[in-house]
Amino acid sequence: MNIHEYQAKQLFNRFGVATPQGLPASTPEEAAEVAASMDLKEYVVKAQVHAGGRGKGTFKNGFKGGVHLVKTVDEVKDVASKMLGEVLVTKQTGEAGKLVNKVMIAEAVDLKHEYYFAILQDRARKCPVIVASTKGGMNIEEVAETDPDAIVKEYIDPVYGLLPFQALKIACALNLRGALLRQATKFITNVYKLFSSLDCSLVEINPLVVTTDDRVMALDAKFNFDDNALYRHPEIVEMRDVTEEDPREVEASQYNLNYIGLDGNIGCLVNGAGLAMATMDIIKHYGGSPANFLDVGGSATEEMVTNAFRILTKDEQVKAILVNIFGGIMRCDVIALGVVNAARTIDMKIPLVVRLEGTNVELGKKILADSGVAIISADSLDDAAQKAVAATK
């Protein structure tokens, strides 16, 4: 789950992480009211979408840049009117772009230096890691490629948490001294408290800045949260903006389906993430293109399968569906019943290829064969993929 920048500021304030003040607005008039209440010498107006590269983006109405510096309330209103209700295209959004429903009005600060700072989960070491660099405000992947020595890492024991010397070590590695060193150490400590307390999988601050009046602050931030821990944080769940997400993925989450939309034309319904990935790979191998990743899990019900089919068939790009089930905990007869009933319920009009293997497989195949539904049976994953690709043509 992602959140907007103005929401990140709310979390920073909650944990004592220094950041310029910033408030959201949904209309040009509201943006003007927010700016007037802040009474600043200079404002930053930022489009609020879940994508990076906003400053260099372009709106489909021709207005350039999703981040603007202005000096007056009237200018805030004018810029907001050109952003709100418009589609912003950046390198991360692709040509489709993102509709801007909110802007953030924030305090403009004068910068002395920009840094990169992030805390994320290192899956290989199974612990959090701090990644920092003196080269902030740029793509960290580019820094890693062109100047890897500019990046420092500090691994954190998940039991003991971030120790004081580690926060000090990172601050020193950023070449901060004196009062700035003390500020940065406190800043890093508080960010880790936020990361740990809210079950984050990523807190990325780019840039972390030192201002001309010697303040250490988070100027921009990206958050990711562990979806499996969100039940502990209802206040975070309330921050979810479903308008920023693929409607298919939003609907799938309501039925506990793991779904990610893609651009192909073969819908995939599989149990198990690894098998789903293998299914997508073999579709590509035989010249096809998967329309999605969809894992119904090891304990899917007939209702879940029906809802999965409903989501797949809503995608107009889907020209065939491939069901690939390996029944361990999941019984093939349950899946077969789900497939048959779903096909009848939603009046399936596109080719349906089904490959079953595992627990109660013979019973599952009999249910499919006796159903009277037009189902293309497959004996193996190779066979299923070839038949699905052929069906699209």
Side-chain angles (χ1 to χ4, degrees):
M1 180 182 146
N2 298 315
I3 61 174
H4 288 295
E5 186 182 355
Y6 75 89
Q7 295 168 320
K9 286 183 178 294
Q10 295 170 3
L11 297 181
F12 281 152
N13 291 330
R14 174 177 162 188
F15 284 85
V17 177
T19 187
Q21 60 177 311
L23 296 169
S26 301
T27 66
E29 293 73 22
E30 187 181 357
E33 290 175 10
V34 167
S37 69
M38 296 171 77
D39 191 25
L40 302 171
K41 292 182 179 178
E42 192 170 28
Y43 304 89
V44 185
V45 184
K46 290 188 173 185
Q48 296 297 282
V49 293
H50 289 170
R54 290 171 295 170
K56 295 181 180 179
T58 301
F59 288 87
K60 289 192 173 180
N61 63 2
F63 187 59
K64 294 190 179 299
V67 180
H68 283 263
L69 280 170
V70 297
K71 295 185 179 296
T72 68
V73 172
D74 287 340
E75 287 178 301
V76 168
K77 184 177 180 180
D78 179 58
V79 170
S81 69
K82 294 173 181 174
M83 292 184 178
L84 289 165
E86 301 293 340
V87 175
L88 176 63
V89 179
T90 76
K91 285 185 177 180
Q92 290 191 10
T93 66
E95 287 302 313
K98 290 272 191 179
L99 180 66
V100 178
N101 293 310
K102 278 185 169 60
V103 295
M104 182 181 70
I105 317 304
E107 171 191 3
V109 294
D110 294 323
L111 311 182
K112 187 186 293 184
H113 194 88
E114 298 182 20
Y115 305 87
Y116 176 90
F117 181 87
I119 307 178
L120 62 154
Q121 295 289 351
D122 186 300
R123 294 183 180 274
R125 299 203 181 200
K126 300 176 183 175
C127 68
V129 58
I130 292 177
V131 179
S133 175
T134 54
K135 295 188 174 183
M138 16 185 334
N139 190 318
I140 194 64
E141 287 81 7
E142 292 179 12
V143 177
E145 185 175 338
T146 59
D147 189 7
D149 292 337
I151 297 175
V152 294
K153 295 182 180 180
E154 186 69 22
Y155 296 94
I156 303 167
D157 188 303
V159 175
Y160 294 105
L162 179 67
L163 299 174
F165 83 88
Q166 292 179 298
L168 183 63
K169 181 179 176 182
I170 290 292
C172 288
L174 295 177
N175 298 322
L176 299 171
R177 301 292 182 265
L180 289 177
L181 181 64
R182 290 190 291 273
Q183 279 191 63
T185 302
K186 180 181 178 182
F187 179 97
I188 293 167
T189 301
N190 287 346
V191 174
Y192 182 75
K193 286 179 182 176
L194 184 161
F195 177 89
S196 178
S197 299
L198 298 182
D199 292 301
C200 298
S201 55
L202 170 72
V203 177
E204 182 183 52
I205 300 170
N206 190 23
L208 163 68
V209 302
V210 172
T211 65
T212 52
D213 57 353
D214 288 332
R215 291 182 293 166
V216 176
M217 309 184 83
L219 203 59
D220 195 358
K222 177 179 175 59
F223 278 66
N224 289 154
F225 299 91
D226 182 349
D227 291 347
N228 295 311
L230 285 175
Y231 72 94
R232 294 198 290 235
H233 307 287
E235 78 284 9
I236 302 297
V237 176
E238 289 179 3
M239 292 181 170
R240 184 182 183 187
D241 184 355
V242 295
T243 64
E244 289 287 318
E245 302 176 33
D246 186 324
R248 299 167 299 177
E249 295 178 17
V250 174
E251 184 178 1
S253 69
Q254 296 172 356
Y255 305 119
N256 294 318
L257 298 168
N258 298 309
Y259 178 98
I260 298 173
L262 302 171
D263 297 326
N265 62 0
I266 298 177
C268 304
L269 192 159
V270 190
N271 67 321
L275 187 59
M277 296 296 287
T279 302
M280 294 162 62
D281 285 345
I282 202 162
I283 287 172
K284 291 292 288 186
H285 176 73
Y286 284 112
S289 182
N292 63 275
F293 168 100
L294 198 163
D295 171 17
V296 296
S299 56
T301 63
E302 185 179 319
E303 181 184 9
M304 290 173 68
V305 173
T306 301
N307 287 320
F309 269 105
R310 186 175 289 112
I311 293 167
L312 292 178
T313 53
K314 279 183 181 179
D315 187 345
E316 295 180 356
Q317 298 300 316
V318 172
K319 304 304 179 187
I321 293 177
L322 169 56
V323 177
N324 183 25
I325 298 296
F326 188 87
I329 299 173
M330 169 58 64
R331 288 162 34 202
C332 291
D333 57 314
V334 172
I335 286 292
L337 281 171
V339 168
V340 169
N341 291 334
R344 288 172 176 164
T345 300
I346 63 178
D347 189 21
M348 188 85 64
K349 296 184 183 300
I350 57 177
L352 173 60
V353 180
V354 180
R355 178 255 182 165
L356 299 177
E357 192 59 72
T359 307
N360 288 358
V361 63
E362 294 305 325
L363 178 56
K365 288 182 177 180
K366 186 176 187 304
I367 291 170
L368 295 179
D370 296 343
S371 67
V373 176
I375 293 173
I376 304 171
S377 294
D379 297 322
S380 66
L381 182 51
D382 269 319
D383 184 35
Q386 292 179 68
K387 286 178 175 177
V389 172
T392 64
K393 299 176 182 178

